[in-house]
């Protein structure tokens, strides 16, 4: 499962903002590895460099030196809407009349197709296929006179998830959608200001966390300081998968450091699904903390049974079918000496399609594990995500097609336990009402459910409708 993007912005006169943004993106690399880009502004002009691949591959000294100015935004991309092509790399630059903006986006716009058609009819052209360009064109298409009202106009028209950093010639602007699906936070650095998808990026560049940007909030940073404007937020819907999987364990979201939250998921799993076993392990890296939490609570020793090759990104695995088939083997290597003859409890973050988990179970058995008991930090995923998570269509989701005992058999585990929804909420320690839980419950936080169901059904290949009960 992949999330869509990481965004970073900085306003800091006298600071090498392009380089700071480069390192900010480095800290957000886990949110997207397909492309990276930085745009800067010096009060007169906007400069832009984008590249396919990892942040480290995208910039050399010469390219960073060409990014002048005291304001910057940056982006790491995983494509959910729009294909993996150079034209979809962000930030994107759009221009109309006297207005030029660069924009970087994390999220997904549900009514993008409608808005794109509308903008095309008005004469706006599109160089890319991502919905981020729709947001940027919507902002500049507004007839409102000032930038804040232009952004407010776009926010009224957009349905979906968007955490944005926007660069003008002399301002840095952060925007979070009224539901607050994706995180966005504000920090300070050397008398300037930083905006980032996750607080972990602030620590890495020497910035201090100040606060989260609230759902529906527009933050404008200029030579006049920081100004905040707020749009109404009828329902909050922070993606709970930020806590389970997407965000780094050293990030803080809604005042909660993720590492202990993930440990609590393991603790609660040990209470909900106890089993006699010799060792507990977490599938690295996202389930490591939960595995430790399970081990501490159950009194069963923790071990590292799988070693992850951290330098094999999806970029290098997926373009080639033969390498794609190797998949899990390229990513993990089992520690046979540790696990041979042992009854293992294996904690993982989620099961989506159910294609990777059987390979992990088979790998552990081949390495000598006597029993493999799987414990999962999310409830069964039965509904697709429309807010920027590249999950699957409904017919591909294993929990939408099979019962839990059937899933256990399909993945070849000796037992299988998913954390309960209440257990998940308890581990995060925040009110249930602030979260999007739609992929578990089907209760989407915006009133386009029928449209979404229709889209999901349209994605079912012919012949498989019967698997869904013929609907
Ligand atoms: S549907 Fe699931 S993955 Fe998508 S935003 Fe909601 S909680 Fe997150």
């Amino acid at each position: 499962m992949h999330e869509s993007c990481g965004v970073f912005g900085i306003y800091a006169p006298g600071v090498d903002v392009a380089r700071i943004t480069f390192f900010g993106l480095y800290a957000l690399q886990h949110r997207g590895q397909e492309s990276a880009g930085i745009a800067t502004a010096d009060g007169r002009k906007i400069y832009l460099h984008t590249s396919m691949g990892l942040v480290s591959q995208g910039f050399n000294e010469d390219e960073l030196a060409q990014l002048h100015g005291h304001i910057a935004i940056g982006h790491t991309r995983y494509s959910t809407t729009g294909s993996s092509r150079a034209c979809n790399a962000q930030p994107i630059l759009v221009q109309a009349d006297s207005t030029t903006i660069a924009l970087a986006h994390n999220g997904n716009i549900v009514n993008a197709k409608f808005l794109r058609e509308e903008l095309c009819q008005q004469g706006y052209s599109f160089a890319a296929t991502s919905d981020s360009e729709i947001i940027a064109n919507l902002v500049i298409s507004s007839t409102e006179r000032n930038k804040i009202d232009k952004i407010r106009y776009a926010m009224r028209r957009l349905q979906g998830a968007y955490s944005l950093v926007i660069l003008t010639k002399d301002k840095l602007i952060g925007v979070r959608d009224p539901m607050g699906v994706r995180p966005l936070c504000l920090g300070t650095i050397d008398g300037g200001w930083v905006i980032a998808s996750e607080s972990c990026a602030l620590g890495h560049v020497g910035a201090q966390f100040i606060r989260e940007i609230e759902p529906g909030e527009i933050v404008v940073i200029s030579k006049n300081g920081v100004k905040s404007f707020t749009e109404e937020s009828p329902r909050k819907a922070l993606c709970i998968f930020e806590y389970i999987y997407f965000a780094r364990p050293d990030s803080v979201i809604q005042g909660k450091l993720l590492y202990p939250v993930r440990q609590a998921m393991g603790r609660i799993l040990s209470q909900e699904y106890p089993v006699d076993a010799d060792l507990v392990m977490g599938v690295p890296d996202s389930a490591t903390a939960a595995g430790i939490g399970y081990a501490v609570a159950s009194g069963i020793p923790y071990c590292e049974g799988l070693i992850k090759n951290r330098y094999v990104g999806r970029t290098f695995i997926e373009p080639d079918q033969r390498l794609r088939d190797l998949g899990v083997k390229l990513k993990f290597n089992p520690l046979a000496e540790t696990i041979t003859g042992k009854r293992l409890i294996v904690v993982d973050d989620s099961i989506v399609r159910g294609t990777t988990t059987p390979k992990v179970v088979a790998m552990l058995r081949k390495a000598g594990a006597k029993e493999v008991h799987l414990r999962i930090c999310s409830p069964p995923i039965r509904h697709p995500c429309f807010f920027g998570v590249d999950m699957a269509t409904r017919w591909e989701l294993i929990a939408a097609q099979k019962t839990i005992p059937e899933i256990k058999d399909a993945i070849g585990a000796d037992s299988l336990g998913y954390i309960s929804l209440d257990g998940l909420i308890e581990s995060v320690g925040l009110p249930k009402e602030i979260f999007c839980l739609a992929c578990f419950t089907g209760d989407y936080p915006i009133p386009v459910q029928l449209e979404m169901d229709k889209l999901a059904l349209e994605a079912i290949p012919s012949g498989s409708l019967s698997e869904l009960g013929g609907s």
Side-chain angles (χ1 to χ4, degrees):
M1 181 163 39
H2 293 275
E3 215 272 324
S4 48
C5 301
V7 298
F8 187 90
I10 176 168
Y11 185 107
V15 171
D16 184 351
V17 292
R19 195 172 300 273
I20 296 280
T21 304
F22 174 82
F23 285 112
L25 295 182
Y26 230 110
L28 297 171
Q29 186 76 86
H30 58 287
R31 297 184 78 91
Q33 294 97 43
E34 289 193 2
S35 64
I38 297 175
T40 60
D42 59 4
R44 297 186 306 275
K45 204 175 156 193
I46 293 179
Y47 308 83
L48 175 70
H49 177 78
T50 60
S51 171
M52 296 302 288
L54 301 170
V55 178
S56 57
Q57 299 167 311
F59 300 87
N60 59 33
E61 279 297 328
D62 288 346
E63 285 154 351
L64 281 176
Q66 298 303 314
L67 293 167
H68 308 288
H70 59 286
I71 323 169
I73 62 170
H75 189 261
T76 57
R77 179 166 198 262
Y78 175 81
S79 64
T80 49
T81 303
S83 55
S84 177
R85 288 189 286 152
C87 68
N88 283 324
Q90 297 187 33
I92 54 163
L93 202 61
V94 292
Q95 201 164 6
D97 304 324
S98 58
T99 307
T100 304
I101 62 168
L103 177 144
H105 168 216
N106 173 205
N108 200 51
I109 302 305
V110 176
N111 60 341
K113 188 166 177 279
F114 170 81
L115 292 171
R116 188 184 173 101
E117 283 168 9
E118 187 183 270
L119 286 160
C120 284
Q121 281 165 14
Q122 292 169 19
Y124 289 89
S125 58
F126 290 83
T129 55
S130 74
D131 55 5
S132 311
E133 199 179 8
I134 296 168
I135 303 174
N137 275 315
L138 205 54
V139 171
I140 61 166
S141 74
S142 164
T143 54
E144 300 289 351
R145 292 178 72 87
N146 71 58
K147 295 248 165 38
I148 302 308
D149 288 340
K150 283 176 182 288
I151 292 169
R152 283 185 157 143
Y153 164 78
M155 290 174 83
R156 285 197 298 275
R157 303 295 316 282
L158 292 165
Q159 286 189 342
Y162 52 92
S163 280
L164 309 173
V165 283
I166 300 173
L167 180 79
T168 71
K169 280 181 280 188
D170 55 3
K171 292 183 183 66
L172 168 66
I173 303 171
V175 182
R176 195 165 170 210
D177 70 71
M179 296 184 297
V181 178
R182 296 287 151 225
L184 198 64
C185 64
L186 179 70
T188 55
I189 182 169
D190 296 342
W193 297 91
V194 178
I195 294 172
S197 290
E198 287 181 41
S199 62
C200 69
L202 303 185
H204 277 295
V205 300
Q208 284 78 47
F209 175 85
I210 297 293
R211 65 175 178 86
E212 299 202 17
I213 293 178
E214 294 298 322
E217 186 177 1
I218 306 168
V219 170
V220 181
I221 303 167
S222 68
K223 66 178 187 321
N224 301 320
V226 179
K227 286 192 178 148
S228 168
F229 307 83
T230 310
E231 288 291 285
E232 197 187 346
S233 175
R235 176 178 170 179
K236 294 190 174 61
L238 173 60
C239 173
I240 196 127
F241 263 100
E242 293 288 348
Y243 290 91
I244 300 168
Y245 171 79
F246 298 139
R248 261 178 40 169
D250 53 338
S251 283
V252 175
I253 303 178
Q254 287 285 310
K256 300 286 181 181
L257 178 63
L258 268 65
Y259 193 88
V261 166
R262 289 180 184 166
Q263 282 188 312
M265 290 172 195
R267 175 173 49 77
I268 289 168
L269 271 168
S270 80
Q271 292 158 359
E272 293 185 342
Y273 299 99
V275 63
D276 268 349
D278 303 309
L279 293 171
V280 182
M281 53 173 279
V283 177
D285 291 318
S286 53
T288 300
I292 292 169
Y294 194 114
V296 170
S298 64
I300 300 170
Y302 185 80
C303 75
E304 283 198 73
L306 287 172
I307 302 300
K308 184 175 179 181
N309 180 1
R310 291 188 171 79
Y311 305 102
V312 177
R314 72 181 289 281
T315 317
F316 301 107
I317 295 173
E318 296 205 351
D320 179 286
Q321 183 61 42
R322 190 175 59 83
L323 292 179
R324 195 155 50 224
D325 290 342
L326 270 175
V328 169
K329 281 190 194 140
L330 285 174
K331 208 168 163 191
F332 299 119
N333 209 16
L335 274 178
E337 287 192 5
T338 304
I339 63 179
T340 296
K342 298 291 194 301
R343 298 169 299 165
L344 294 180
I345 296 169
V346 179
V347 182
D348 204 353
D349 52 71
S350 57
I351 302 176
V352 183
R353 294 173 177 82
T355 50
T356 305
T357 314
K359 293 176 188 163
V360 173
V361 173
M363 179 184 274
L364 292 167
R365 286 200 195 282
K366 197 172 169 195
K370 195 166 141 199
E371 293 174 14
V372 179
H373 300 275
L374 266 179
R375 299 294 178 263
I376 307 298
C377 296
S378 69
I381 299 171
R382 298 198 166 101
H383 306 271
C385 176
F386 293 89
F387 302 115
V389 179
D390 176 29
M391 219 172 228
T393 50
R394 190 172 156 81
W395 69 272
E396 293 173 301
L397 294 169
I398 192 167
Q401 309 302 330
K402 295 183 191 294
T403 63
I404 292 173
E406 286 170 345
I407 298 171
K408 174 190 87 70
D409 292 342
I411 61 182
D414 292 284
S415 72
L416 171 64
Y418 288 91
I419 198 168
S420 65
L421 193 56
D422 287 346
L424 175 61
I425 298 295
E426 184 188 334
S427 52
V428 179
L430 292 166
K432 192 176 183 178
E433 297 68 41
I434 70 163
F435 291 110
C436 174
L437 304 165
C439 46
F440 314 130
T441 63
D443 176 22
Y444 293 96
I446 48 177
V448 287
Q449 188 157 353
L450 289 175
E451 191 181 332
M452 291 179 186
D453 285 348
K454 187 164 159 281
L455 282 170
L457 287 171
E458 279 170 358
I460 298 167
S462 61
S464 61
L465 266 175
S466 60
E467 290 177 41
L468 281 181
S471 56

